[in-house]
Amino acid sequence: MTCMNVNDGSNSNCIKDEAKMTEVQGLAMSVGSSTPRKGENGPASSIPKVTSTQGDDILLRPTMKATTDTKRRYVPWHTNLLITLSLKSHKAVEHLHLFVDSILTTTWHPNFDVLLICDIPAFELIKIRQSLYQKLLLLHTDFHIIPTPRNTDDIMLSKYWFTDWPHISHYHKALFSDTDVLARKGLNGMFDDVALEGNGKLYALEEGFFKQYHPRLGPQFGIANYTSKDIKAMNAAGVKTFNAGILMFVPDEVFLDHIREFRKFMIDGIHKNIRHFTDQSWVNHYFNVRLLTRPILAKYIKIWPQVDQKYFGKFLLHFATWGNMTPEMKRISMRQYFGRHIVPRRFADRDEMLQEFVKPHFKIRQIGCSADGIEDALVAMKTSDFQIVTEEGCVPRRFDGKIKVVKASAIQYLRALPDHAVNVLVMQSGFREQGLLVAMMGANKVKVGGWLLLSPKFKAFEKMLTTYSTPLLGVGANYTAIRVLGSLVWA
């Protein structure tokens, strides 16, 4: 029997009980045979066909509802979908918050929707953290509520409950990611670049090898040692073992049927006490023997990143658990990497920045007049609803008919303006001792997902304003743009 200690590369600590392994193989590989289904090319003889013996188990029950947020009726916006998972604990929610912040910092105009699979405790923790909840809404997230997990196996299986989400078939591409991940580059590019084939194919990051074995947990990339016939077929098809933390697929009906069968397969094996390493053992075995695995994502993902490395070419950095790593060690590494390398995007000049996020149909309000001619840049973009609020009469006559001038004090105007009424608010004047009040009032007038553009005179208030927002830009012309994610509140 070939086996390996993954920690030190030796064979000294392997389990050598051949009789036990033969029993496990019998459970895993000889439950029955089936004719390959649509999208399957693998040898039928080694494909387990499992009927669950626990029909009333909580893991087999369909979820009761897609969201507990009954005030929101979810309508898909895009054809790409990011799926992630947060369950039960403060630790999981902290990972999620870092992941979401990295997405918002690197992806300004997402071409994807987000599905968050969570239980009630995690959902309540997210809503308590107002900024995280607002950020998820900005990413057009739906919350798919599942029963609270009872144990580790429950948690590992929970991420595959997206099959019950009512909108899943709308999407052309789906990316599942664990939350111990940071976005290094805009995810739009990953969705655009990865060509996915449907009919049950699963795309992943290659890791390990077919007979990799953990002395305590058993096979890491299968539920038993693969047969020689399996390995020959998998090698011929280019199938490799893979890390299960980040996956891509086309959520067509063939793939969703596979996931439903896979869940039954995993649950049945757990009930039979088959040794395994998280869900990774099960999902590898199920898709590998069917020759459905496509291990092509190494170009896009770095697993176990080092804090002092930049990884400019990667889209996702996966801080996967290894060795004796604790959740706290993982969070520290993620925070350190975020602070050093995932920084606000910087532009060559102000006009390049404006081209990135200002749209002609936006409602734009400017408080005070500029000294650098930003008005000319905004008018040149053919903005249809641009107003300047000033008491000074400082708007040049060349803007007659192009900019509406409102003669009022900043505080008077902002008090009268409804909350979340404009897409972009440009803050020009410092207002001396009233600057903090004006800045906070202004942030509340911007729509969720809109932009607060601060001139250098407001630099002192930048940090305070980002309490409920994500700063996304630092600009060569000394402007800072902040994306508004919710209302500012007094502490």
Side-chain angles (χ1 to χ4, degrees), residues 222-238:
I223 56 168
N225 284 343
Y226 294 98
T227 66
S228 298
K229 184 178 180 180
D230 287 332
I231 293 174
K232 183 177 179 179
M234 291 187 292
N235 284 333

Side-chain angles (χ1 to χ4, degrees), residues 62-117:
T63 52
M64 297 298 101
K65 48 192 172 181
T67 177
T68 59
D69 195 350
T70 55
K71 296 179 181 179
R72 299 176 61 242
R73 179 177 177 272
Y74 192 83
V75 177
W77 286 357
H78 303 283
T79 57
N80 298 323
L81 179 67
L82 171 64
I83 305 170
T84 192
L85 175 75
S86 186
L87 297 171
K88 213 170 185 179
S89 71
H90 286 276
K91 297 174 184 177
V93 173
E94 287 177 15
H95 286 159
L96 174 66
H97 206 153
L98 282 167
F99 184 36
V100 168
D101 278 349
S102 71
I103 293 171
L104 286 168
T105 304
T106 57
T107 311
W108 287 18
H109 305 291
N111 65 4
F112 53 88
D113 298 333
V114 176
L115 173 64
L116 177 62
I117 301 171

Side-chain angles (χ1 to χ4, degrees), residues 66-318:
T67 177
T68 59
D69 195 350
T70 55
K71 296 179 181 179
R72 299 176 61 242
R73 179 177 177 272
Y74 192 83
V75 177
W77 286 357
H78 303 283
T79 57
N80 298 323
L81 179 67
L82 171 64
I83 305 170
T84 192
L85 175 75
S86 186
L87 297 171
K88 213 170 185 179
S89 71
H90 286 276
K91 297 174 184 177
V93 173
E94 287 177 15
H95 286 159
L96 174 66
H97 206 153
L98 282 167
F99 184 36
V100 168
D101 278 349
S102 71
I103 293 171
L104 286 168
T105 304
T106 57
T107 311
W108 287 18
H109 305 291
N111 65 4
F112 53 88
D113 298 333
V114 176
L115 173 64
L116 177 62
I117 301 171
C118 57
D119 58 3
I120 291 293
F123 184 69
E124 294 303 324
L125 285 171
I126 289 166
K127 294 197 77 172
I128 288 170
R129 297 186 179 207
Q130 294 182 41
S131 61
L132 175 57
Y133 184 60
Q134 292 293 343
K135 291 168 186 176
L136 287 165
L137 295 184
L138 177 61
L139 288 171
H140 195 50
T141 300
D142 199 17
F143 302 89
H144 192 51
I145 309 300
I146 64 172
T148 297
R150 303 159 302 176
N151 52 47
T152 301
D153 286 323
D154 273 7
I155 293 172
M156 296 303 170
L157 192 60
S158 295
K159 73 186 192 186
Y160 300 100
W161 282 106
F162 55 79
T163 55
D164 302 306
W165 188 53
H167 304 292
I168 188 66
S169 297
H170 165 84
Y171 295 92
H172 299 169
K173 292 182 179 181
L175 165 65
F176 173 86
S177 177
D178 286 344
T179 54
D180 55 349
V181 171
L182 294 176
R184 185 66 182 89
K185 289 175 62 178
L187 293 185
N188 290 356
M190 188 169 176
F191 277 110
D192 291 342
D193 198 54
V194 180
L196 299 181
E197 181 185 351
N199 289 327
K201 304 298 187 298
L202 182 65
Y203 295 76
L205 171 69
E206 179 182 351
E207 183 195 352
F209 49 91
F210 291 125
K211 292 190 176 183
Q212 188 162 323
Y213 199 85
H214 192 285
R216 181 170 55 87
L217 301 172
Q220 288 192 273
F221 300 98
I223 56 168
N225 284 343
Y226 294 98
T227 66
S228 298
K229 184 178 180 180
D230 287 332
I231 293 174
K232 183 177 179 179
M234 291 187 292
N235 284 333
V239 169
K240 305 289 185 182
T241 52
F242 59 90
N243 183 281
I246 301 174
L247 307 168
M248 291 192 77
F249 50 88
V250 176
D252 56 20
E253 198 56 37
V254 174
F255 184 82
L256 297 178
D257 279 346
H258 274 300
I259 293 298
R260 295 180 187 110
E261 290 302 312
F262 159 74
R263 292 191 317 202
K264 296 176 185 177
F265 169 58
M266 181 173 170
I267 292 167
D268 191 80
I270 291 169
H271 291 156
K272 293 175 180 176
N273 295 316
I274 295 177
R275 299 179 75 204
H276 58 280
F277 177 72
T278 70
D279 63 304
Q280 187 164 276
S281 298
W282 304 101
V283 72
N284 264 270
H285 201 102
Y286 183 94
F287 282 90
N288 287 346
V289 298
R290 290 165 172 77
L291 309 185
L292 294 173
T293 305
R294 298 293 182 268
I296 66 167
L297 297 185
K299 174 183 176 182
Y300 307 94
I301 301 165
K302 174 61 182 177
I303 192 170
W304 306 306
Q306 300 299 309
V307 172
D308 58 349
Q309 300 295 314
K310 295 187 176 181
Y311 305 111
F312 283 125
K314 303 298 183 181
F315 287 87
L316 292 170
L317 308 178
H318 186 190

